[in-house]
């Protein structure tokens, strides 16, 4: 082992460290992006989803640009450094824009930051792995192969750690109110800056292959030349018709290159249905994460953040890939049912569709938790008794709560026709006091919910309940009702864990009035009050207990007598026994967040079958000179897939989330059917056998002879350089890479 690493290029570890930090930065930022755009910036969910996927579109389109810059202009090393600086600037912009300087985060900063990051991550994507392979000499074949294993490890460890750490920082550390997005974005930014410095450390030892003509630009020129000449010749009808339209690119391009382009187009034809898989796969970070915000993440000893579940995917990839390569696929082959690449991909697509059916089933359970919407001609009314008596409420001689509403308790919600309604209320059972009856006429607007507080001032106080559904993410909403006849000048909340940054100043609450709604995290809170701006505060003996998604009303009361404080002056706090009653207006989310695990497991298995196999298939079917181009086209299918999500998310359709999941599942099933038919007509090409046949037909020259090979355009490249490039590309197979993490 020591001898193995003795001649190992030490500067390669600068490249591996750079890749680890970059992947941590990218996936750490992306893990919390959609929740940040929605909760902090204030965008609608569909707009946040569209921006998230637009960012991915740009990220996976830019590798084509990065490859052209590196191969044709400034080389890989300079490309990595210069574009990484742009990348880091984008991270810094995201960090600064997440600081609410005036209490608000605006969209302009994130848009600029995301564009810079997308350009950076996409621009260096095609360069880093091949640049690392360039550092090995011909006699370091084993070391080069191990480099790709280390490279794959750096990618997956970076993405796994980041999707655990940044959501935890976002949810558990409080630096601005109840969040700390600036720190959650700042750590990826710091690692990206660090990655640049680490990469520069090895610059004097790097082996740099000089740039030449980009294969992408050359291929594009061949296609354009073939199309234009084909159309021109058909119009003139003066030239002999050729077998294929690309043949018209001769003599500008040699026959071998034209043949390679034909093979690439043949593979690209199979690629056409593939974007639909990515449309489903990349919704793990958007729609699935948003779904998790509507689930119960309280596991007792700790709270599972909704965006942390994305870590399941890279974790399972590390487990499933070796199992499939060493056990599953060989077992199928021994049973006489070998899984060819295109068949594996078809199964992967079916599993992606199945995962969205599971997601739709989970969404059905979530929707059952949601309160029914209120019709436009109806009102939703709840009676809350804030007196020491029992109250009976009747409407048109019909008692609404037959057993009455107990002291400091509430009735169920009643759905009534909206309008000016009359109620009879009776206060009874008060110690030392006779029963009291009174008639009230209150106005209720359609489509709204109301609380009617029945106090021992023998009056009814009407307030609208503006929060009609559960909250999202791991938080709840509370508002306070002051049942005293004196105002509370200060009401504040603080977690029992005494976290200074998780304090809420509710402010002044007038007598018989409600406060504003206040979002709070999943925790227990102390409540302190004071009167008439006195410096002395009183901590109430009971605690506010929150559950994610719930909406609460907290009633502050005095327990020393039947009646509220009678003086308008500041009362003596020692004479009071204030406490509070917590009522649940809307129940918390009940569907456990762990129920999302099966859909992650299914789509991850689908990814192993589809993504890794698909990339290996593309490389084995593509000519050696076109492997890097097909890598860029493969990444482009990811961009197109995310474009599909944007179109659906930004459509004007009021499609419910469960039906949207089913829509994508149905689209995937249809695409799989079409793909399966296309594969029936595909003929596999054995490149190794073709290369051996070509070798036997040559003049017998060996690889050790570094003679020049000259193509039809006069570009000179040594055989050694060509072998290094081919080895780099051929190592980019299913055992070394998970392309979705690149």
């Amino acid at each position: 082992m020591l001898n193995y690493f003795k001649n190992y290029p030490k500067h390669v570890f600068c490249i591996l460290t750079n890749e680890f930090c970059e992947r941590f930065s990218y996936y750490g930022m992306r893990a919390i992006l959609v929740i940040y755009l929605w909760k902090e910036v204030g965008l609608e969910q569909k707009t946040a989803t569209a921006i998230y996927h637009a960012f991915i579109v740009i990220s996976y389109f830019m590798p084509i640009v990065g490859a052209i810059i590196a191969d044709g202009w400034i080389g890989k090393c300079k490309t990595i450094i210069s574009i990484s600086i742009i990348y880091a600037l984008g991270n810094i912009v995201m960090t600064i824009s997440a600081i609410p300087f005036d209490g608000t985060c605006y969209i302009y900063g994130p848009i600029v930051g995301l564009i810079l990051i997308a350009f950076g991550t996409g621009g260096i994507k095609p360069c880093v792995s091949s640049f690392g392979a360039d550092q090995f000499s011909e006699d370091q074949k084993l070391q080069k192969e191990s480099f790709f294993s280390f490279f794959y490890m750096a990618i997956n460890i970076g993405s796994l750690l980041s999707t655990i750490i940044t959501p935890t920082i976002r949810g558990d550390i409080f630096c601005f109110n109840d969040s700390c997005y600036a720190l959650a974005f700042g750590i990826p930014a710091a690692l990206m800056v660090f990655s640049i410095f680490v990469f520069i450390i090895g610059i004097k030892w790097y082996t740099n292959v000089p740039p030449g003509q980009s294969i992408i630009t050359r291929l594009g020129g061949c296609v354009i030349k073939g199309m234009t000449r084909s159309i021109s010749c058909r119009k003139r009808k003066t030239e002999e018709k050729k077998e294929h339209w690309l043949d018209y690119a001769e003599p500008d391009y040699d026959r071998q290159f034209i043949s390679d382009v034909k093979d690439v187009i043949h593979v690209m034809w199979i690629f056409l249905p593939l974007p639909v898989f990515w449309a489903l796969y990349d919704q793990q970070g958007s729609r699935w994460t948003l779904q998790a915000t509507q689930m119960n993440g309280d596991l007792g000893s700790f709270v599972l953040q909704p965006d942390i579940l994305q870590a399941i995917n890279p974790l399972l990839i590390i487990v499933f890939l070796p199992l499939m390569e060493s056990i599953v696929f060989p077992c199928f082959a021994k049973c006489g049912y070998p899984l060819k690449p295109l068949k594996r991909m078809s199964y992967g697509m079916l599993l992606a569709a199945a995962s969205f059916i599971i997601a739709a089933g989970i969404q059905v359970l979530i929707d059952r938790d949601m309160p029914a919407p209120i019709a436009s001609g109806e009102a939703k009314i709840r009676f809350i008794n804030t007196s020491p008596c029992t109250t009976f409420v009747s409407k048109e001689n019909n008692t609404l709560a037959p057993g009455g509403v107990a002291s400091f308790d509430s009735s169920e919600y009643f759905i009534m026709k909206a309008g000016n309604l009359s109620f009879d209320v009776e206060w009874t059972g008060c110690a030392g006091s006779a029963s009291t009856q009174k008639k009230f006429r209150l106005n209720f607007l359609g489509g709204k919910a109301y609380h009617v507080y029945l106090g021992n001032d023998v009056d009814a106080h009407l307030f609208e309940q503006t929060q009609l559904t559960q909250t999202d993410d791991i938080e709840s909403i509370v508002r306070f009702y002051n049942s005293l006849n004196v105002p509370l000048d200060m009401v504040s909340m603080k977690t029992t864990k005494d976290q200074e940054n998780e304090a809420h100043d509710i402010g002044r609450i007038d007598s018989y009035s409600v406060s504003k709604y206040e979002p709070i995290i999943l925790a227990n809170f102390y409540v302190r009050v004071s009167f008439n701006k006195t410096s002395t505060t009183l901590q109430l003996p009971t605690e506010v207990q929150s559950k994610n998604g719930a909406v609460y009303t907290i009633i502050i009361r005095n327990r020393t007598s039947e009646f509220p404080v009678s003086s308008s002056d500041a009362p003596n706090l020692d004479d009071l026994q204030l406490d509070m009653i917590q009522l649940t207006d809307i129940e918390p989310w009940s569907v456990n967040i762990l129920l999302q695990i099966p859909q992650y497991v299914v789509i991850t298995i689908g990814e192993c079958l589809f993504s890794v196999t698909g990339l290996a298939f593309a490389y084995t079917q593509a000519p050696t000179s076109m492997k890097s181009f097909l890598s860029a086209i493969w990444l482009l299918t990811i961009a197109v897939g995310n474009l599909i999500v944007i179109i659906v998310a930004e459509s004007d359709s009021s499609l419910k989330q469960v039906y949207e999941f089913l829509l994508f599942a149905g689209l995937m099933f249809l695409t799989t059917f079409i793909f399966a038919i296309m594969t029936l007509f595909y003929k596999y090409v054995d490149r190794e056998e073709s290369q051996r046949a070509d070798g036997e037909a040559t003049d017998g020259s060996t690889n050790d002879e570094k003679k020049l090979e000259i193509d039809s355009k006069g570009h000179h490249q040594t055989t050694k350089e060509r072998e290094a490039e081919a080895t780099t590309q051929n190592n980019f197979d299913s055992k070394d890479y998970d392309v979705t993490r690149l």
Side-chain angles (χ1 to χ4, degrees):
M1 181 63 70
L2 292 177
N3 291 331
Y4 178 82
F5 283 103
K6 185 176 181 180
N7 296 323
Y8 205 93
K10 302 300 185 293
H11 51 282
V12 165
F13 291 100
C14 295
I15 300 173
L16 293 173
T17 304
N18 170 273
E19 182 66 14
F20 167 82
C21 294
E22 189 275 328
R23 289 293 83 186
F24 187 106
S25 176
Y26 175 75
Y27 279 101
M29 184 280 303
R30 206 177 96 168
I32 61 174
L33 177 59
V34 72
I35 292 182
Y36 168 70
L37 294 173
W38 169 45
K39 302 291 288 187
E40 289 297 303
V41 181
L43 302 179
E44 293 183 358
Q45 286 191 10
K46 69 172 187 177
T47 305
T49 298
I51 292 177
Y52 173 88
H53 288 282
F55 164 71
I56 299 177
V57 168
I58 301 173
S59 297
Y60 284 95
F61 175 79
M62 289 308 300
I64 296 178
V65 178
I68 293 174
I69 294 174
D71 294 342
W73 290 354
I74 61 176
K76 297 170 188 173
C77 183
K78 291 182 180 179
T79 299
I80 293 172
I81 294 174
S82 57
I83 294 183
S84 292
I85 293 173
I86 298 174
Y87 192 163
L89 288 175
N91 283 117
I92 293 171
V93 171
M94 287 294 295
T95 303
I96 295 175
S97 64
I99 301 175
F101 291 103
D102 59 353
T104 305
C105 295
Y106 298 98
I107 188 59
Y108 312 109
I111 291 296
V112 173
L114 289 174
I115 291 174
L116 294 176
I117 293 172
F119 180 82
T121 187
I124 67 175
K125 200 180 294 291
C127 303
V128 181
S129 61
S130 58
F131 182 70
D134 290 342
Q135 309 311 306
F136 296 89
S137 60
E138 277 188 330
D139 57 352
Q140 293 179 312
K141 184 178 180 180
L142 292 177
Q143 286 89 340
K144 182 184 291 189
E145 290 178 356
S146 68
F147 164 76
F148 286 103
S149 297
F150 290 140
F151 194 81
Y152 170 77
M153 188 183 302
I155 290 170
N156 280 278
I157 293 176
S159 62
L160 175 62
L161 292 178
S162 65
T163 48
I164 294 174
I165 293 173
T166 54
T168 302
I169 293 173
R170 176 196 70 81
D172 294 347
I173 297 179
F174 312 111
C175 49
F176 302 104
N177 296 323
D178 59 351
S179 65
C180 199
Y181 285 95
L183 180 60
F185 286 134
I187 291 177
L191 279 176
M192 192 61 222
V193 172
F194 176 73
S195 73
I196 298 174
F197 284 110
V198 171
F199 186 84
I200 292 176
I201 289 174
I203 198 167
K204 64 180 180 180
W205 296 292
Y206 291 145
T207 299
N208 291 289
V209 177
Q213 183 182 16
S214 171
I215 191 65
I216 296 177
T217 56
R218 191 176 178 212
L219 185 145
C222 179
V223 170
I224 294 174
K225 184 73 70 174
M227 290 181 64
T228 54
R229 283 186 177 172
S230 173
I231 295 172
S232 176
C233 291
R234 286 180 182 178
K235 287 182 178 180
R236 293 197 305 265
K237 298 182 180 180
T238 56
E239 190 172 326
E240 181 182 354
K241 186 177 180 180
K242 297 189 177 183
E243 182 179 353
H244 194 281
W245 59 270
L246 274 172
D247 293 331
Y248 289 94
E250 289 189 84
D252 296 62
Y253 298 89
D254 62 86
R255 290 185 179 181
Q256 181 58 51
F257 184 78
I258 293 174
S259 176
D260 289 350
V261 175
K262 291 177 183 178
D263 290 343
V264 166
I265 293 177
H266 191 204
V267 177
M268 288 174 61
W269 167 253
I270 291 292
F271 278 11
L272 286 179
L274 305 191
V276 179
F277 176 89
W278 300 116
L280 277 66
Y281 177 84
D282 278 328
Q283 289 188 62
Q284 293 178 77
S286 57
R287 291 303 196 194
W288 284 16
T289 298
L290 293 174
Q291 183 187 60
T293 65
Q294 299 177 310
M295 303 177 76
N296 182 9
D298 185 4
L299 302 182
S301 59
F302 67 97
V303 178
L304 199 62
Q305 300 290 340
D307 39 5
I308 207 172
L309 284 179
Q310 298 173 65
I312 295 175
N313 179 258
L315 178 62
L316 293 179
I317 281 288
I318 296 174
V319 175
F320 287 163
L321 269 181
L323 288 177
M324 289 190 170
E325 291 288 343
S326 60
I327 299 176
V328 177
F329 297 152
C331 284
F332 273 94
K334 287 183 179 180
C335 294
Y337 191 74
L339 295 177
K340 291 186 177 181
L342 294 180
K343 187 175 291 185
R344 293 184 195 178
M345 294 173 67
S346 298
Y347 291 152
M349 295 162 78
L350 288 175
L351 288 174
S355 71
F356 266 65
I357 292 178
I358 297 173
I362 298 297
Q363 192 63 45
V364 170
L365 299 178
I366 293 172
D367 291 346
R368 290 178 181 175
D369 273 353
M370 296 182 181
I374 307 170
S376 58
E378 295 178 335
K380 189 176 181 179
I381 305 169
R382 187 187 198 189
F383 297 93
I384 301 176
N385 180 10
T386 59
S387 75
C389 317
T390 300
T391 58
F392 291 86
V393 182
S394 60
K395 179 179 180 292
E396 298 175 353
N397 297 323
N398 294 320
T399 303
L400 298 179
V405 182
S407 174
F408 291 97
D409 201 354
S410 65
S411 70
E412 61 182 288
Y413 279 99
F414 299 99
I415 302 297
M416 300 182 185
K417 186 177 180 180
N420 208 323
L421 305 181
S422 178
F423 299 94
D424 293 306
V425 181
E426 179 182 2
W427 284 262
T428 185
C430 300
S433 177
S435 298
T436 304
Q437 294 183 348
K438 194 170 183 180
K439 182 182 290 289
F440 299 98
R441 180 168 289 276
L442 304 171
N443 188 44
F444 301 93
L445 300 178
K448 296 183 180 295
Y450 295 90
H451 287 174
V452 179
Y453 295 90
L454 305 173
N456 60 354
D457 58 343
V458 195
D459 204 352
H461 306 277
L462 178 65
F463 295 96
E464 182 184 349
Q465 177 189 333
T466 56
Q467 183 69 33
L468 301 179
T469 61
Q470 289 96 337
T471 63
D472 296 299
D473 206 355
I474 55 166
E475 64 179 23
S476 58
I477 288 183
V478 300
R479 75 172 176 181
F480 289 82
Y481 177 76
N482 178 11
S483 69
L484 311 178
N485 72 338
V486 293
L488 295 169
D489 280 296
M490 191 277 290
V491 177
S492 64
M493 301 176 63
K494 193 173 184 181
T495 62
T496 54
K497 295 180 180 179
D498 197 33
Q499 299 180 58
E500 292 293 336
N501 290 312
E502 189 49 38
H504 299 265
D505 183 9
I506 307 301
R508 177 186 173 92
I509 308 176
D510 291 330
S511 59
Y512 308 122
S513 295
V514 295
S515 70
K516 64 180 181 178
Y517 279 107
E518 181 73 11
I520 59 174
I521 65 167
L522 186 60
N524 289 358
F525 288 83
Y526 294 126
V527 175
R528 302 186 69 87
V529 300
S530 67
F531 295 90
N532 289 356
K533 300 180 181 179
T534 59
S535 58
T536 304
T537 62
L538 176 67
Q539 180 173 297
L540 303 187
T542 51
E543 299 175 2
V544 174
Q545 297 179 338
S546 67
K547 298 292 183 182
N548 61 320
V551 179
Y552 300 109
T553 292
I554 311 296
I555 302 172
I556 297 179
R557 66 172 182 172
N558 177 32
R559 294 184 291 117
T560 56
S561 66
E562 300 175 3
F563 299 96
V565 179
S566 58
S567 172
S568 60
D569 299 327
N572 186 348
L573 296 182
D574 295 332
D575 296 333
L576 298 177
Q577 292 184 17
L578 296 183
D579 71 354
M580 56 189 176
I581 303 296
Q582 181 173 342
L583 302 177
T584 302
D585 299 331
I586 298 178
E587 294 293 333
W589 299 112
S590 65
V591 182
N592 195 289
I593 198 170
L594 296 180
L595 288 180
Q596 270 200 331
I597 292 179
Q599 65 200 54
Y600 276 97
V601 172
V602 172
I603 202 167
T604 302
I605 297 174
E607 178 190 0
C608 293
L609 292 170
F610 175 89
S611 174
V612 183
T613 303
L615 188 60
F617 160 78
Y619 280 149
T620 57
Q621 298 302 291
T624 301
S625 63
M626 299 293 178
K627 294 183 185 295
S628 60
F629 173 75
L630 270 181
S631 174
I633 296 300
W634 177 269
L635 296 175
L636 195 59
T637 65
I638 302 177
V640 176
N642 281 268
L643 190 59
I644 295 173
V645 183
I646 296 173
I647 294 172
V648 174
E650 284 298 298
S651 65
D652 294 330
S653 172
S654 57
L655 197 63
K656 294 179 66 174
Q657 187 59 65
V658 62
Y659 297 127
E660 184 176 303
F661 285 146
L662 292 175
L663 171 66
F664 278 106
L667 181 61
M668 189 75 264
F669 278 125
L670 177 61
T671 304
T672 305
F673 177 74
I674 296 172
F675 180 75
I677 294 176
M678 293 172 64
T679 60
L680 296 177
F681 301 97
Y682 185 84
K683 294 182 179 180
Y684 289 91
V685 177
D686 190 341
R687 290 288 169 191
E688 293 184 0
E689 184 177 340
S690 299
Q691 289 174 359
R692 285 195 299 269
D694 291 342
E696 293 172 359
T698 60
D699 59 1
S701 59
T702 65
N703 291 336
D704 294 331
E705 296 172 332
K706 298 178 180 136
K707 65 179 183 179
L708 290 176
E709 296 181 1
I710 307 175
D711 63 21
S712 61
K713 302 299 290 184
H715 174 64
H716 292 68
Q717 187 180 35
T718 66
T719 304
K720 178 181 178 181
E721 290 172 349
R722 290 179 181 268
E723 288 175 357
E725 181 181 355
T727 305
T728 300
Q729 298 293 354
N730 285 324
N731 272 284
F732 200 99
D733 62 12
S734 62
K735 296 181 181 178
D736 298 318
Y737 282 86
D738 167 15
V739 70
T740 58
R741 306 252 84 81
L742 291 178

